[in-house]
Amino acid sequence: MSSGFSDWQLLADRALAGEVITREQAHAVLSAPDDQLLDQLAAAYRVRRATWGNRVRLHFLLNAQSGLCPEDCGYCSQSKISTAEIEKYPMMAQEKIMEAADRAAQLKAGTLCMVISGRAPGETVFNKVLDAVRAVRAKHDLKVCACLGLLNEEQVLRLKEAGVETVNHNLNTSANFTPEVVGTHTFEDRVNTVEAVKAAGMKTCSGGILGMGESDDDVIDLALSLRELDVKSVPVNFLIPVPGTSFAGIRELDPRRCLRILSLYRFLLPTQEIRVSGGREVHLRSMQVMGLYPANSIFVGDYLTTQGQTARDDLRMIEDAGFVLETPDGAPLVGDPFEGVPDSYPRAALPMVEV
């Protein structure tokens, strides 16, 4: 039910002033009628534009170790309880990682996001990650983000010394809803890793997965937790109900719901990088470009175990809406964004999931 509140520019004013909108106003964003969606997006874009202008930051995701995970996350095709048909492999050879880095640079990505499955990296795998990071940084003007599971401050410092700029560890959902999603770790475990990243003086990247059966209060609480932690980069994933996972039957999202969530997160996280991540193509569908009005970043290419649209389609979408790509140093890209970008590139093993 709509609350009757509709002054979305007031929420933009409050966000730009550094104020936290009320819980009642946050609920109003999520429950607003469809005929107010464009007004919401316009207000959210005003907040986005104040920090990010019309730039769009691209990230390239590399699944450097797939499957074989001892965790029981209900959303994840790589978990120990999943029967999803995915590729499973140990840590990639450095040669393969460099090929992915070459492709990231070719696709105009500013950041290579290196992800490994598992609860926490063992020393052998961790050293391979460090070696790969050094090699990538030596060859390319790419920032590197590492997503390696639970980490302590000493490990984070070693990543920093190797050239990692950002460490990702998603909270995924609210503290209240976490037990419904996973039983092998706690919300506090995830917060502790984010705190270790902050303590090491590194950039924090943490977000969530929406559409897992959580309430509106859970959606709001996750954003407030990210704000309290002062997370700098926030990937917003929308649940991809992959067959073989515990959450395969959940169907709670449509494009308008996703856009309301993105608008709310911009009001609550006014200066953060907000990235429309997994599920963008699946759930926003023909309205994908609208997500760039509250958000300022996307992944280009495929996701961990699911397929995205082609890089050229992403670049065309960005150009058609009048946005410009951002270089690794944060400046607008000068020149042809399509130069050197192939018409296609190796695809993920799974076809794009339909909902």
Side-chain angles (χ1 to χ4, degrees):
M1 292 288 291
S2 173
S3 66
F5 180 88
S6 60
D7 191 352
W8 313 119
Q9 291 296 338
L10 173 63
L11 302 193
D13 291 339
R14 295 196 62 181
L16 290 169
E19 301 172 9
V20 183
I21 67 173
T22 68
R23 183 169 290 268
E24 290 73 23
Q25 290 168 337
H27 273 284
V29 174
L30 295 175
S31 62
D34 290 342
D35 62 7
Q36 294 185 26
L37 181 59
L38 287 179
D39 292 333
Q40 286 183 323
L41 289 168
Y45 180 57
R46 185 158 69 90
V47 181
R48 175 233 205 267
R49 194 173 59 219
T51 300
W52 302 101
N54 68 336
R55 304 187 309 279
V56 176
R57 180 175 291 180
L58 298 183
H59 294 249
F60 185 91
L61 194 61
L62 170 63
N63 196 15
Q65 176 176 290
S66 180
L68 313 172
C69 182
E71 301 289 285
D72 65 356
C73 306
Y75 58 83
C76 185
S77 59
Q78 303 185 72
S79 79
K80 68 178 183 180
I81 60 173
S82 169
T83 61
E85 296 181 7
I86 63 167
E87 285 189 285
K88 298 178 181 180
Y89 47 85
M91 181 71 187
M92 278 182 176
Q94 190 175 122
E95 178 184 353
K96 293 292 185 183
I97 294 173
M98 293 307 298
E99 288 176 2
D102 293 344
R103 192 155 67 247
Q106 185 181 41
L107 299 183
K108 305 297 190 296
T111 303
L112 174 69
C113 301
M114 192 182 305
V115 184
I116 66 169
S117 60
R119 177 180 175 84
E123 188 63 16
T124 299
V125 168
F126 193 73
N127 282 321
K128 289 181 179 179
V129 170
L130 296 177
D131 288 342
V133 170
R134 295 185 189 103
V136 170
R137 295 287 293 136
K139 183 176 182 181
H140 290 292
D141 181 23
L142 279 171
K143 294 180 179 179
V144 177
C145 175
C147 179
L148 310 177
L150 300 174
L151 297 170
N152 58 40
E153 189 174 342
E154 184 266 340
Q155 290 172 310
V156 174
L157 284 171
R158 290 169 67 190
L159 289 168
K160 183 178 182 180
E161 291 169 359
V164 171
E165 185 201 55
T166 306
V167 174
N168 165 266
H169 195 65
N170 291 332
L171 298 185
N172 281 338
T173 189
S174 69
N176 175 69
F177 195 68
T178 294
E180 305 299 320
V181 175
V182 60
T184 48
H185 62 259
T186 66
F187 183 80
E188 289 72 25
D189 289 332
R190 290 185 169 268
V191 169
N192 289 341
T193 293
V194 177
E195 293 282 17
V197 177
K198 288 179 63 178
M202 293 187 70
K203 182 178 174 182
T204 49
C205 176
S206 186
I209 305 172
L210 289 306
M212 297 191 293
E214 72 280 346
S215 68
D216 282 358
D217 276 314
D218 293 317
V219 175
I220 296 165
D221 286 343
L222 171 60
L224 292 174
S225 293
L226 296 168
R227 182 182 179 115
E228 183 178 355
L229 286 166
D230 193 27
V231 170
K232 300 303 181 184
S233 181
V234 179
V236 178
N237 298 276
F238 298 110
L239 176 70
I240 301 176
V242 176
T245 62
S246 300
F247 292 174
I250 299 179
R251 299 287 193 278
E252 294 194 342
L253 298 171
D254 60 36
R256 300 175 306 285
R257 169 72 172 177
C258 294
L259 291 171
R260 290 188 192 100
I261 289 170
L262 290 169
S263 295
L264 172 64
Y265 275 47
R266 180 51 73 197
F267 293 137
L268 288 171
L269 302 163
T271 61
Q272 279 83 343
E273 174 191 350
I274 295 180
R275 186 178 324 128
V276 197
S277 301
R280 166 169 61 94
E281 296 90 342
V282 172
H283 294 294
L284 286 174
R285 298 190 287 275
S286 62
M287 298 177 73
Q288 282 183 66
V289 71
M290 305 303 289
L292 291 176
Y293 289 89
N296 64 289
S297 174
I298 62 172
F299 281 113
V300 60
D302 295 337
Y303 302 97
L304 292 179
T305 60
T306 54
Q307 183 174 297
Q309 69 181 14
T310 70
R312 292 190 75 88
D313 285 340
D314 282 335
L315 296 177
R316 182 67 68 194
M317 175 182 74
I318 291 166
E319 182 182 66
D320 286 350
F323 294 105
V324 297
L325 297 185
E326 185 176 281
T327 63
D329 64 2
L333 177 71
V334 177
D336 181 6
F338 294 92
E339 183 181 358
V341 177
D343 292 331
S344 61
Y345 55 93
R347 308 304 305 180
L350 289 178
M352 194 180 297
V353 176
E354 293 186 1
V355 296

